[in-house]
Amino acid sequence: MAPLYEAFPVINSGHLEVSSVHKIYYEECGAATGVPIIYLHGGPGGGIEDTDRQYFDPSHYRSILFDQRGSGKSTPHASLEDNTTWHLVADIEALREHLKIEKWIVFGGSWGSTLSLAYAEKHPERCLGLILRGIFTLRREELLWFYQGGADMLFPDFFDAYKAAIPAEERGDMMQAYYKRLTGDNEEEKLKCAGAWSRWETATSKLIVDPKYIEKAEDPKWALAFARIECHFFVNGGWMKDGQLIEEAHKIKHLPIVIIQGRYDVVCPAKTSWDLYQALGGTSNIGVEYKILGDSGHSAHETSIEQALVDAANKFKSIKT
């Protein structure tokens, strides 16, 4: 299995105005005339990182990465106004048109897989294929498992810290209780809850708890965008019918798709990726590859997942535009 490519520079970047409120930051990397591939980051609210472009061979791919509304270098920071799944899908199309790209490969993990599916199911004619990791489809059962009860059976110590930010009488609906505080006027409480929410997710993202990874949550700017935007999307069910992305998977069955899943993913358990695989035709669909990795959790920054993602991108080099 191949490691990440060595670091390489951005060849073009800028801000695209997508509404009267929002400007999204984007980067182009690799070969200017290469096969286009778009990277959709997680969260929502996580923003892109420099290593995100290193899955893609810079001699072959024209990779495009962008910070979704309210995230990273996009403005305004942590904004919830006009920030829904379908606004983000429209932003992807606006970026494609801005960059004069006809079709591209869509690559996303965790929330990025959610957005990849939402985009591809709405615009299958613009997709050359999909590479998906740590599948999340925003079903209510998935949200309740992680934020209300289920994952706490495996990480009770970290869940207690997440729970402690909310008064006992409001813990019957943790997401709603967090949302009230993350959108409230008490700035101290808002930052406290942003940190607690973000620490819960970073603590549980790897098979082996990584204190360095948890430190991401100590950055108040990052944590605020991450927690506010995630919670905003989750209490609103992504502005989709529950189960919609699985139900509409038939719209993309004709595309080449690779699904990469950590066996011990607690944030987005393997059942969701399996449901998606079956909805795409399972073993009867030779165009869909399902890879479950027995030594990994959720994070894209675990070695075997990194290598599997690089391998998938290398395999997709056979795709012609």
Side-chain angles (χ1 to χ4, degrees):
M1 296 175 77
L4 292 177
Y5 285 91
E6 293 294 323
F8 53 89
V10 174
I11 58 173
N12 179 43
S13 66
H15 282 85
L16 177 65
E17 186 172 332
V18 290
S19 78
S20 60
V21 175
H22 292 276
K23 292 181 180 179
I24 58 170
Y25 171 78
Y26 69 90
E27 298 178 348
E28 288 187 88
C29 313
T33 58
V35 174
I37 186 166
I38 184 165
Y39 176 93
L40 302 180
H41 69 69
I48 57 175
E49 302 175 5
D50 288 344
T51 54
D52 293 336
R53 69 183 77 109
Q54 292 175 240
Y55 298 109
F56 314 119
D57 181 349
S59 70
H60 179 83
Y61 283 115
R62 176 189 179 189
S63 52
I64 295 96
L65 303 88
F66 78 101
D67 288 323
Q68 297 158 29
R69 294 189 182 201
S71 308
K73 297 178 183 176
S74 292
T75 59
H77 177 71
S79 173
L80 306 182
E81 184 178 354
D82 296 335
N83 197 348
T84 73
T85 303
W86 306 112
H87 285 102
L88 301 186
V89 166
D91 291 350
I92 297 169
E93 269 296 273
L95 186 58
R96 183 190 61 77
E97 293 173 357
H98 176 70
L99 297 175
K100 298 179 170 57
I101 292 170
E102 182 67 22
K103 295 184 178 184
W104 46 15
I105 299 166
V106 181
F107 180 112
S110 192
W111 160 257
S113 74
T114 320
L115 187 55
S116 295
L117 290 167
Y119 174 79
E121 290 172 9
K122 188 169 180 64
H123 300 286
E125 74 285 354
R126 297 302 180 188
C127 301
L128 295 168
L130 289 87
I131 300 171
L132 306 174
R133 187 264 317 161
I135 308 304
F136 174 51
T137 63
L138 234 166
R139 292 178 295 186
R140 184 68 178 169
E141 63 181 356
E142 298 169 42
L143 293 168
L144 291 176
W145 155 267
F146 189 67
Y147 292 104
Q148 190 65 40
D152 60 318
M153 298 289 284
L154 296 172
F155 291 89
D157 45 349
F158 291 105
F159 193 82
D160 272 2
Y162 159 77
K163 190 169 62 174
I166 302 300
E169 63 272 17
E170 294 183 55
R171 291 176 188 166
D173 189 339
M174 292 290 289
M175 285 180 283
Q176 194 64 52
Y178 262 96
Y179 192 55
K180 182 172 80 172
R181 289 159 176 80
L182 290 167
T183 57
D185 296 327
N186 185 325
E187 292 302 315
E188 182 179 351
E189 186 174 48
K190 186 183 295 184
L191 290 175
K192 172 188 168 185
C193 286
W197 176 283
S198 302
R199 277 189 293 275
W200 165 237
E201 187 159 335
T202 53
T204 53
S205 284
K206 293 188 177 184
L207 178 63
I208 306 299
V209 175
D210 182 353
K212 290 292 291 181
Y213 195 60
I214 299 173
E215 284 180 12
K216 285 184 67 174
E218 304 310 315
D219 176 352
K221 183 179 180 182
W222 180 84
L224 186 62
F226 187 71
R228 265 172 61 87
I229 297 172
E230 277 201 339
C231 204
H232 173 63
F233 273 68
F234 298 168
V235 299
N236 286 290
W239 298 271
M240 293 182 284
K241 187 176 90 172
D242 196 53
Q244 177 177 327
L245 297 179
I246 300 288
E247 289 177 14
E248 298 190 0
H250 63 90
K251 296 179 179 179
I252 56 173
K253 285 175 71 171
H254 62 290
L255 295 171
I257 299 172
V258 173
I259 300 169
I260 294 163
Q261 177 72 42
R263 169 72 73 186
Y264 302 107
D265 188 336
V266 171
V267 182
C268 299
K271 178 63 163 58
T272 301
S273 64
W274 185 252
D275 290 347
L276 175 63
Y277 179 53
Q278 296 303 312
L280 291 168
T283 55
S284 66
N285 186 347
I286 61 171
V288 179
E289 182 178 351
Y290 182 78
K291 299 181 72 172
I292 191 156
L293 305 177
D295 61 351
S296 301
H298 179 68
S299 175
H301 301 292
E302 293 175 278
T303 301
S304 63
I305 291 184
E306 281 185 347
Q307 292 174 343
L309 290 170
V310 174
D311 284 348
N314 285 341
K315 177 182 177 181
F316 271 44
K317 286 181 183 180
S318 61
I319 291 177
K320 307 298 181 185
T321 56

